[in-house]
Short mmCIF file of all heavy atoms in Angstrom, two decimals:
data_model
loop_
_atom_site.label_atom_id
_atom_site.label_comp_id
_atom_site.label_asym_id
_atom_site.label_seq_id
_atom_site.Cartn_x
_atom_site.Cartn_y
_atom_site.Cartn_z
N ALA A 92 202.18 196.41 62.75
CA ALA A 92 201.05 195.92 63.55
C ALA A 92 201.24 196.18 65.04
O ALA A 92 200.32 195.96 65.84
CB ALA A 92 200.85 194.43 63.31
N GLY A 93 202.44 196.63 65.42
CA GLY A 93 202.72 196.88 66.83
C GLY A 93 202.97 195.63 67.63
O GLY A 93 202.85 195.63 68.86
N THR A 94 203.35 194.55 66.95
CA THR A 94 203.57 193.27 67.65
C THR A 94 205.01 192.77 67.51
O THR A 94 205.29 191.61 67.80
CB THR A 94 202.62 192.19 67.08
OG1 THR A 94 202.88 192.03 65.67
CG2 THR A 94 201.16 192.59 67.29
N ILE A 95 205.90 193.63 67.08
CA ILE A 95 207.27 193.20 66.84
C ILE A 95 207.96 192.78 68.12
O ILE A 95 207.77 193.37 69.18
CB ILE A 95 208.08 194.31 66.14
CG1 ILE A 95 209.45 193.77 65.69
CG2 ILE A 95 208.25 195.53 67.05
CD1 ILE A 95 210.19 194.71 64.75
N ARG A 96 208.76 191.72 68.05
CA ARG A 96 209.58 191.24 69.17
C ARG A 96 211.03 191.55 68.80
O ARG A 96 211.64 190.87 67.96
CB ARG A 96 209.36 189.74 69.37
CG ARG A 96 207.94 189.39 69.80
CD ARG A 96 207.69 187.89 69.67
NE ARG A 96 208.61 187.11 70.50
CZ ARG A 96 208.33 186.72 71.75
NH1 ARG A 96 207.18 187.05 72.31
NH2 ARG A 96 209.20 185.99 72.43
N TYR A 97 211.57 192.58 69.44
CA TYR A 97 212.91 193.04 69.08
C TYR A 97 213.98 191.99 69.37
O TYR A 97 215.00 191.93 68.67
CB TYR A 97 213.24 194.35 69.80
CG TYR A 97 212.46 195.54 69.26
CD1 TYR A 97 211.57 196.22 70.07
CD2 TYR A 97 212.64 195.96 67.95
CE1 TYR A 97 210.86 197.31 69.57
CE2 TYR A 97 211.93 197.04 67.45
CZ TYR A 97 211.04 197.71 68.27
OH TYR A 97 210.33 198.78 67.78
N GLY A 98 213.76 191.18 70.37
CA GLY A 98 214.72 190.12 70.67
C GLY A 98 214.86 189.16 69.50
O GLY A 98 215.97 188.77 69.12
N ASP A 99 213.72 188.78 68.91
CA ASP A 99 213.75 187.89 67.75
C ASP A 99 214.41 188.58 66.55
O ASP A 99 215.18 187.95 65.81
CB ASP A 99 212.33 187.47 67.37
CG ASP A 99 211.70 186.57 68.42
OD1 ASP A 99 212.45 186.01 69.25
OD2 ASP A 99 210.46 186.42 68.42
N MET A 100 214.10 189.85 66.40
CA MET A 100 214.68 190.59 65.27
C MET A 100 216.20 190.68 65.40
O MET A 100 216.94 190.49 64.42
CB MET A 100 214.08 191.99 65.20
CG MET A 100 214.60 192.84 64.05
SD MET A 100 213.91 194.50 64.08
CE MET A 100 214.71 195.22 62.64
N LYS A 101 216.69 190.95 66.61
CA LYS A 101 218.13 191.09 66.81
C LYS A 101 218.84 189.75 66.64
O LYS A 101 219.97 189.69 66.15
CB LYS A 101 218.41 191.71 68.17
CG LYS A 101 218.04 193.20 68.21
CD LYS A 101 218.63 193.92 69.41
CE LYS A 101 217.91 193.62 70.68
NZ LYS A 101 218.37 194.50 71.79
N LYS A 102 218.19 188.65 67.03
CA LYS A 102 218.78 187.33 66.80
C LYS A 102 218.91 187.06 65.31
O LYS A 102 219.92 186.53 64.84
CB LYS A 102 217.92 186.26 67.46
CG LYS A 102 218.04 186.21 68.98
CD LYS A 102 217.15 185.12 69.56
CE LYS A 102 217.25 185.09 71.09
NZ LYS A 102 216.36 184.07 71.67
N GLU A 103 217.88 187.41 64.54
CA GLU A 103 217.91 187.22 63.09
C GLU A 103 219.01 188.09 62.47
O GLU A 103 219.76 187.64 61.60
CB GLU A 103 216.56 187.59 62.49
CG GLU A 103 216.41 187.27 61.02
CD GLU A 103 216.33 185.78 60.74
OE1 GLU A 103 215.67 185.06 61.51
OE2 GLU A 103 216.93 185.33 59.74
N LEU A 104 219.10 189.33 62.94
CA LEU A 104 220.13 190.24 62.43
C LEU A 104 221.52 189.73 62.78
O LEU A 104 222.43 189.77 61.95
CB LEU A 104 219.92 191.64 63.01
CG LEU A 104 220.99 192.68 62.69
CD1 LEU A 104 221.13 192.88 61.18
CD2 LEU A 104 220.65 194.02 63.36
N ALA A 105 221.69 189.23 64.00
CA ALA A 105 223.01 188.74 64.43
C ALA A 105 223.47 187.57 63.57
O ALA A 105 224.63 187.53 63.13
CB ALA A 105 222.95 188.33 65.91
N GLU A 106 222.58 186.62 63.31
CA GLU A 106 222.98 185.46 62.49
C GLU A 106 223.26 185.89 61.06
O GLU A 106 224.16 185.35 60.41
CB GLU A 106 221.88 184.39 62.54
CG GLU A 106 221.70 183.77 63.91
CD GLU A 106 223.02 183.32 64.52
OE1 GLU A 106 223.81 182.65 63.82
OE2 GLU A 106 223.27 183.65 65.70
N GLY A 107 222.49 186.86 60.56
CA GLY A 107 222.75 187.37 59.22
C GLY A 107 224.11 188.05 59.14
O GLY A 107 224.85 187.87 58.16
N MET A 108 224.46 188.81 60.16
CA MET A 108 225.75 189.49 60.19
C MET A 108 226.90 188.50 60.34
O MET A 108 227.97 188.67 59.75
CB MET A 108 225.79 190.51 61.33
CG MET A 108 225.12 191.82 61.01
SD MET A 108 225.99 192.69 59.68
CE MET A 108 224.88 194.08 59.43
N VAL A 109 226.70 187.46 61.14
CA VAL A 109 227.72 186.42 61.27
C VAL A 109 227.99 185.78 59.91
O VAL A 109 229.15 185.58 59.51
CB VAL A 109 227.28 185.35 62.29
CG1 VAL A 109 228.14 184.09 62.17
CG2 VAL A 109 227.36 185.91 63.71
N THR A 110 226.93 185.45 59.19
CA THR A 110 227.07 184.83 57.87
C THR A 110 227.76 185.77 56.90
O THR A 110 228.58 185.35 56.06
CB THR A 110 225.69 184.44 57.32
OG1 THR A 110 225.07 183.51 58.22
CG2 THR A 110 225.80 183.81 55.95
N PHE A 111 227.48 187.07 57.01
CA PHE A 111 228.05 188.07 56.10
C PHE A 111 229.51 188.37 56.42
O PHE A 111 230.36 188.45 55.52
CB PHE A 111 227.22 189.35 56.19
CG PHE A 111 227.72 190.47 55.31
CD1 PHE A 111 227.42 190.51 53.96
CD2 PHE A 111 228.49 191.49 55.85
CE1 PHE A 111 227.89 191.53 53.16
CE2 PHE A 111 228.97 192.52 55.05
CZ PHE A 111 228.67 192.54 53.70
N ILE A 112 229.83 188.52 57.71
CA ILE A 112 231.15 188.99 58.11
C ILE A 112 232.19 187.87 58.19
O ILE A 112 233.37 188.08 57.86
CB ILE A 112 231.07 189.73 59.46
CG1 ILE A 112 230.32 191.06 59.27
CG2 ILE A 112 232.45 189.98 60.06
CD1 ILE A 112 230.11 191.83 60.57
N SER A 113 231.79 186.68 58.61
CA SER A 113 232.77 185.61 58.86
C SER A 113 233.65 185.27 57.64
O SER A 113 234.87 185.10 57.81
CB SER A 113 232.08 184.35 59.40
OG SER A 113 231.10 183.89 58.53
N PRO A 114 233.10 185.18 56.41
CA PRO A 114 234.00 184.89 55.28
C PRO A 114 235.02 186.01 55.04
O PRO A 114 236.16 185.74 54.65
CB PRO A 114 233.04 184.75 54.09
CG PRO A 114 231.71 184.47 54.69
CD PRO A 114 231.69 185.22 55.98
N ILE A 115 234.61 187.26 55.28
CA ILE A 115 235.53 188.39 55.11
C ILE A 115 236.64 188.31 56.15
O ILE A 115 237.82 188.50 55.84
CB ILE A 115 234.77 189.72 55.24
CG1 ILE A 115 233.67 189.81 54.17
CG2 ILE A 115 235.72 190.91 55.13
CD1 ILE A 115 232.76 191.02 54.32
N ARG A 116 236.26 188.02 57.40
CA ARG A 116 237.24 187.90 58.48
C ARG A 116 238.23 186.77 58.19
O ARG A 116 239.45 186.93 58.35
CB ARG A 116 236.52 187.63 59.80
CG ARG A 116 237.45 187.48 61.00
CD ARG A 116 236.68 187.09 62.25
NE ARG A 116 236.08 185.77 62.15
CZ ARG A 116 234.77 185.53 62.25
NH1 ARG A 116 233.91 186.50 62.45
NH2 ARG A 116 234.30 184.29 62.14
N GLU A 117 237.73 185.64 57.74
CA GLU A 117 238.59 184.49 57.45
C GLU A 117 239.55 184.78 56.30
O GLU A 117 240.72 184.39 56.34
CB GLU A 117 237.72 183.27 57.14
CG GLU A 117 236.96 182.76 58.37
CD GLU A 117 235.85 181.80 58.01
OE1 GLU A 117 235.73 181.46 56.81
OE2 GLU A 117 235.10 181.39 58.92
N LYS A 118 239.05 185.47 55.28
CA LYS A 118 239.91 185.83 54.15
C LYS A 118 240.99 186.80 54.59
O LYS A 118 242.17 186.67 54.21
CB LYS A 118 239.06 186.47 53.05
CG LYS A 118 239.85 186.91 51.82
CD LYS A 118 240.43 185.73 51.06
CE LYS A 118 241.06 186.17 49.76
NZ LYS A 118 241.64 185.04 49.00
N ALA A 119 240.62 187.78 55.43
CA ALA A 119 241.59 188.75 55.92
C ALA A 119 242.66 188.07 56.77
O ALA A 119 243.86 188.39 56.68
CB ALA A 119 240.89 189.83 56.74
N GLU A 120 242.26 187.11 57.60
CA GLU A 120 243.22 186.39 58.43
C GLU A 120 244.18 185.59 57.57
O GLU A 120 245.39 185.52 57.86
CB GLU A 120 242.47 185.47 59.40
CG GLU A 120 241.74 186.22 60.51
CD GLU A 120 240.92 185.29 61.39
OE1 GLU A 120 240.81 184.10 61.05
OE2 GLU A 120 240.40 185.76 62.42
N ALA A 121 243.66 184.98 56.51
CA ALA A 121 244.53 184.20 55.62
C ALA A 121 245.56 185.10 54.95
O ALA A 121 246.73 184.73 54.80
CB ALA A 121 243.68 183.48 54.57
N ILE A 122 245.14 186.29 54.56
CA ILE A 122 246.06 187.23 53.92
C ILE A 122 247.12 187.71 54.91
O ILE A 122 248.31 187.79 54.59
CB ILE A 122 245.28 188.43 53.33
CG1 ILE A 122 244.43 187.97 52.14
CG2 ILE A 122 246.23 189.54 52.90
CD1 ILE A 122 243.51 189.03 51.58
N ARG A 123 246.69 188.03 56.15
CA ARG A 123 247.64 188.49 57.17
C ARG A 123 248.70 187.44 57.48
O ARG A 123 249.84 187.77 57.81
CB ARG A 123 246.90 188.87 58.45
CG ARG A 123 246.27 190.24 58.42
CD ARG A 123 245.92 190.71 59.83
NE ARG A 123 244.94 189.83 60.45
CZ ARG A 123 243.63 190.01 60.38
NH1 ARG A 123 243.14 191.01 59.68
NH2 ARG A 123 242.81 189.17 60.99
N ASN A 124 248.35 186.18 57.36
CA ASN A 124 249.29 185.10 57.66
C ASN A 124 250.18 184.72 56.48
O ASN A 124 251.05 183.87 56.62
CB ASN A 124 248.51 183.87 58.13
CG ASN A 124 247.85 184.08 59.47
OD1 ASN A 124 248.36 184.81 60.30
ND2 ASN A 124 246.69 183.46 59.68
N ASP A 125 249.95 185.36 55.33
CA ASP A 125 250.74 185.06 54.13
C ASP A 125 251.76 186.18 53.92
O ASP A 125 251.56 187.10 53.14
CB ASP A 125 249.81 184.95 52.91
CG ASP A 125 250.52 184.41 51.68
OD1 ASP A 125 251.76 184.37 51.67
OD2 ASP A 125 249.82 184.03 50.72
N GLU A 126 252.87 186.09 54.65
CA GLU A 126 253.86 187.17 54.63
C GLU A 126 254.46 187.42 53.24
O GLU A 126 254.62 188.58 52.83
CB GLU A 126 254.96 186.89 55.64
CG GLU A 126 255.95 188.04 55.78
CD GLU A 126 256.93 187.81 56.91
OE1 GLU A 126 256.61 187.03 57.83
OE2 GLU A 126 258.01 188.43 56.86
N PRO A 127 254.82 186.37 52.47
CA PRO A 127 255.37 186.64 51.12
C PRO A 127 254.38 187.41 50.24
O PRO A 127 254.79 188.32 49.51
CB PRO A 127 255.62 185.23 50.57
CG PRO A 127 255.81 184.38 51.79
CD PRO A 127 254.86 184.94 52.81
N TYR A 128 253.10 187.06 50.32
CA TYR A 128 252.10 187.75 49.52
C TYR A 128 251.98 189.22 49.95
O TYR A 128 251.94 190.12 49.12
CB TYR A 128 250.74 187.06 49.66
CG TYR A 128 249.60 187.80 49.00
CD1 TYR A 128 249.45 187.79 47.62
CD2 TYR A 128 248.69 188.52 49.76
CE1 TYR A 128 248.41 188.48 47.01
CE2 TYR A 128 247.65 189.21 49.17
CZ TYR A 128 247.52 189.19 47.79
OH TYR A 128 246.48 189.88 47.20
N LEU A 129 251.95 189.46 51.27
CA LEU A 129 251.85 190.82 51.78
C LEU A 129 253.04 191.66 51.34
O LEU A 129 252.89 192.82 50.93
CB LEU A 129 251.76 190.81 53.31
CG LEU A 129 250.42 190.37 53.90
CD1 LEU A 129 250.52 190.31 55.43
CD2 LEU A 129 249.30 191.32 53.50
N ARG A 130 254.22 191.08 51.43
CA ARG A 130 255.42 191.82 51.03
C ARG A 130 255.37 192.17 49.54
O ARG A 130 255.71 193.29 49.14
CB ARG A 130 256.68 190.98 51.33
CG ARG A 130 257.98 191.72 51.08
CD ARG A 130 259.16 190.89 51.53
NE ARG A 130 259.09 190.60 52.95
CZ ARG A 130 259.48 191.46 53.89
NH1 ARG A 130 259.96 192.64 53.54
NH2 ARG A 130 259.38 191.15 55.16
N LYS A 131 254.92 191.22 48.74
CA LYS A 131 254.82 191.46 47.29
C LYS A 131 253.82 192.58 47.00
O LYS A 131 254.11 193.49 46.19
CB LYS A 131 254.37 190.17 46.60
CG LYS A 131 254.15 190.32 45.10
CD LYS A 131 253.65 189.02 44.49
CE LYS A 131 253.32 189.18 43.01
NZ LYS A 131 252.79 187.92 42.43
N VAL A 132 252.67 192.55 47.66
CA VAL A 132 251.65 193.57 47.43
C VAL A 132 252.16 194.95 47.86
O VAL A 132 251.97 195.95 47.16
CB VAL A 132 250.35 193.22 48.20
CG1 VAL A 132 249.38 194.39 48.20
CG2 VAL A 132 249.69 192.00 47.57
N MET A 133 252.84 195.02 49.01
CA MET A 133 253.34 196.30 49.50
C MET A 133 254.42 196.87 48.57
O MET A 133 254.44 198.07 48.30
CB MET A 133 253.87 196.15 50.92
CG MET A 133 252.78 195.97 51.95
SD MET A 133 253.36 196.05 53.67
CE MET A 133 254.27 194.50 53.78
N GLU A 134 255.28 196.00 48.08
CA GLU A 134 256.35 196.47 47.19
C GLU A 134 255.76 196.95 45.87
O GLU A 134 256.18 198.00 45.35
CB GLU A 134 257.36 195.35 46.96
CG GLU A 134 258.20 195.03 48.19
CD GLU A 134 259.09 193.82 47.99
OE1 GLU A 134 258.91 193.11 46.96
OE2 GLU A 134 259.96 193.56 48.87
N GLN A 135 254.82 196.21 45.32
CA GLN A 135 254.19 196.63 44.07
C GLN A 135 253.40 197.92 44.26
O GLN A 135 253.45 198.82 43.40
CB GLN A 135 253.27 195.52 43.54
CG GLN A 135 254.01 194.29 43.05
CD GLN A 135 253.06 193.19 42.57
OE1 GLN A 135 251.87 193.20 42.92
NE2 GLN A 135 253.58 192.26 41.79
N GLY A 136 252.68 198.01 45.38
CA GLY A 136 251.91 199.21 45.64
C GLY A 136 252.79 200.43 45.81
O GLY A 136 252.48 201.52 45.32
#
C-alpha cells in the first residue's frame, strides 16, 4: 500500500531475532563453561 513504517518493522524484527537467538547464545555459553563436557566431546570426536 506504500504506507510501511520501516522503523516499526525493524523493531518487530529485532525483538523476533532476540527471542530466536538468545536461547542459542545461552546454551552455547553453558557449554563453553562446562570444561569436562567439552574435553569429553573433543576426545570422542
Side-chain angles (χ1 to χ4, degrees):
T94 60
I95 189 168
R96 295 167 60 92
Y97 288 117
D99 292 343
M100 181 183 180
K101 288 194 284 189
K102 286 180 181 178
E103 187 71 40
L104 174 59
E106 294 311 312
M108 279 295 175
V109 165
T110 300
F111 179 81
I112 291 176
S113 58
I115 300 173
R116 180 185 65 239
E117 291 165 5
K118 179 67 173 180
E120 289 176 352
I122 291 174
R123 279 197 298 269
N124 292 328
D125 190 346
E126 186 173 337
Y128 173 75
L129 286 176
R130 186 174 299 279
K131 176 183 176 182
V132 169
M133 287 189 289
E134 290 174 350
Q135 291 178 341

